Amino acid sequence: MVCAGSGGVGKTTTAAALAMGAAADGAKVAVVTIDPARRLANSLGLEELGNEPRLIDPERFTEHGVDMRGELWALMLDAKRTFDELIEHLAPDTRTRDEVLSNRIYKQLSNAVAGSQEFTAIAKLYDLDASGEFDLLVLDTPPSRNALDFLDAPERLTGFFQGRAVKVFLRPAGFGGRILGKGTGVAFGILRRVTGVDLLNDLSVFFRALGGMIDGFVARAERVGALLADPGTTFLIVTSPRHDPVEEAIFFHRKLREAGMPFGGLVVNRVHAAPELDGELPGELVEELGETLAGRVATSARELAALAARDERNIDHLRSSLDDPPLLVVPERQDDVHDVEGLAHVREHLWGAAAMQDSAA
Ligand SMILES: Nc1ncnc2c1ncn2[C@@H]1O[C@H](COP(=O)(O)OP(=O)(O)OP(=O)(O)O)[C@@H](O)[C@H]1O
Ligand SMILES: [Mg+2]
């Protein structure tokens, strides 16, 4: 299950609450986050999460009235570490492996290749899936990135490895020979003398070692792409009921459909409920509060009513644009969601009785 959506709408919160709900119901679940802000770790009450799944102590949930019948595992993806593991896996021998891992160009590249974070996220999912250890994998996608990066990350990376740049480097004549004119060679020579860095050598070692691994990379990227499109995969689009995220959700949904990816439903998070108070404050309340305070309360109530009406309009727009999709609503909480208790509340709206009511409505 991939939780996607625009920045700050509650992807991490939703991923954690969904994973927690499925685990409470008896499944063995792993929730994978890429959030460097450690929001997931924090809300689960942990200092940090590693690159390998870690079982969350069920006691943590029992304390907050959540009976954990299954297991919740969590990990925070380290893109660089996952890339390294991939090299370890694909390298034909230990010499090549060490050559690549210690290579200056590799070190830069593994951090910089466009989409490498998204790619490694899915590569990790692929491994977790292949391990057969878990009933459900929930992926929280990176903050404030274009959610669409996820869809074409495998393709983009394959494109990079099969692209002209890499092929040029891999020509038998070698990098130093044909591609660079004599002048550039001299420049590299000076660079080496001045800085002690043999860039040319780094480059050719890197691409030579990489040459043997390209097929492995491409095969991996293809399998990862297939995993995303697998009917067992579900994309959940998370959004807030505001104008811009709603438009992005509609756009993302269209892209999902065009890419043939499985869409599961929508989670609209932080929805304002209309205040029960309608119009004027009751006389006794005005007496109790005094004119000034009562005036402010009335203003607040009006503002909240306006927000609730706006949210409702945007949700209606979303429903009709997506042809009445499966949709769950999570209300705006007074507090933000930063601990197990907060997650337990959100879970109520995703799994519990409240979710049943909402979806019936
Ligand atoms: N229903 C809610 N009510 C109140 N606050 C919420 C609710 N859901 C999420 N929040 C708060 O909103 C903030 C953003 O949530 P979250 O980190 O889950 O979003 P995100 O989509 O993962 O953001 P990013 O794109 O930065 O990764 C957090 O401070 C979280 O506690
Ligand atoms: Mg997040």
Side-chain angles (χ1 to χ4, degrees):
M1 189 181 277
V2 184
C3 294
S6 44
V9 292
K11 297 177 293 296
T12 303
T13 303
T14 303
L18 277 172
M20 182 173 139
D25 276 2
K28 185 171 176 187
V29 186
V31 53
V32 181
T33 183
I34 321 175
D35 184 3
R38 305 199 176 157
R39 290 207 53 83
L40 180 67
N42 290 343
S43 57
L44 292 173
L46 300 171
E47 279 293 306
E48 55 181 11
L49 292 166
N51 200 38
E52 291 304 321
R54 169 172 160 188
L55 178 65
I56 316 290
D57 181 1
E59 285 292 309
R60 261 179 229 284
F61 304 105
T62 328
E63 278 166 27
H64 294 94
V66 178
D67 183 20
M68 195 45 79
R69 283 187 284 137
E71 291 175 10
L72 181 60
W73 295 67
L75 66 130
M76 188 176 115
L77 189 88
D78 177 339
K80 172 92 175 93
R81 186 72 220 112
T82 307
F83 223 123
D84 291 354
E85 282 167 10
L86 199 59
I87 297 284
E88 283 163 18
H89 194 78
L90 294 174
D93 50 60
T94 50
R95 216 188 111 236
T96 315
R97 181 197 67 194
D98 295 342
E99 228 172 32
V100 173
L101 291 183
S102 62
N103 186 278
R104 222 182 314 260
I105 309 294
Y106 168 74
K107 286 184 187 163
Q108 292 299 321
L109 199 69
S110 55
N111 284 323
V113 171
S116 72
Q117 202 184 35
E118 287 78 10
F119 177 78
T120 46
I122 315 165
K124 190 76 188 182
L125 273 196
Y126 178 83
D127 287 340
L128 290 172
D129 181 54
S131 79
E133 289 261 334
F134 297 97
D135 302 318
L136 173 67
L137 303 171
V138 181
L139 176 67
D140 163 37
T141 56
S144 47
R145 275 287 190 92
N146 189 337
L148 296 171
D149 286 350
F150 255 89
L151 301 181
D152 57 11
E155 210 166 288
R156 218 154 358 112
L157 217 63
T158 313
F160 170 78
F161 284 115
Q162 292 179 329
R164 234 188 104 234
V166 174
K167 287 214 177 96
V168 158
F169 282 116
L170 289 173
R171 272 193 201 147
F175 180 57
R178 219 184 309 161
I179 313 308
L180 299 179
K182 217 170 157 202
T184 333
V186 171
F188 272 110
I190 295 173
L191 196 66
R192 186 185 58 221
R193 271 204 309 275
V194 174
T195 63
V197 175
D198 192 348
L199 200 57
L200 197 54
N201 187 50
D202 277 346
L203 274 171
S204 60
V205 165
F206 174 67
F207 281 106
R208 189 162 30 77
L210 199 70
M213 290 190 242
I214 286 186
D215 290 346
F217 258 115
V218 171
R220 175 62 70 113
E222 277 165 3
R223 283 200 300 250
V224 160
L227 179 65
L228 277 185
D230 190 284
T233 302
T234 292
F235 278 84
L236 272 189
I237 302 181
V238 184
T239 182
S240 80
R242 289 164 178 265
H243 177 269
D244 289 0
V246 161
E247 290 307 323
E248 276 183 51
I250 294 170
F251 178 70
F252 186 55
H253 175 261
R254 201 175 70 225
K255 288 287 162 189
L256 269 184
R257 213 168 40 192
E258 283 167 12
M261 303 288 176
F263 166 67
L266 279 161
V267 174
V268 187
N269 185 30
R270 311 192 73 157
V271 176
H272 297 89
E276 281 170 32
L277 196 93
D278 197 13
E280 295 304 299
L281 293 194
E284 315 101 80
L285 197 55
V286 178
E287 237 164 73
E288 181 105 1
L289 296 174
E291 285 287 333
T292 324
L293 193 51
R296 284 190 201 152
V297 170
T299 309
S300 273
R302 270 195 302 277
E303 283 170 0
L304 188 55
L307 279 177
R310 177 207 69 180
D311 289 358
E312 206 178 306
R313 272 197 310 277
N314 286 337
I315 294 174
D316 283 346
H317 172 53
L318 192 58
R319 278 191 206 273
S320 59
S321 306
L322 266 60
D323 245 356
D324 220 0
L327 184 147
L328 289 174
V329 167
V330 179
E332 166 84 4
R333 283 169 46 84
Q334 243 158 36
D335 247 358
D336 66 353
V337 185
H338 55 263
D339 56 13
V340 172
E341 196 189 339
L343 285 181
H345 276 112
V346 174
R347 164 194 171 248
E348 263 300 296
H349 292 272
L350 297 173
W351 286 98
M356 297 295 181
Q357 271 170 20
D358 287 345
S359 53

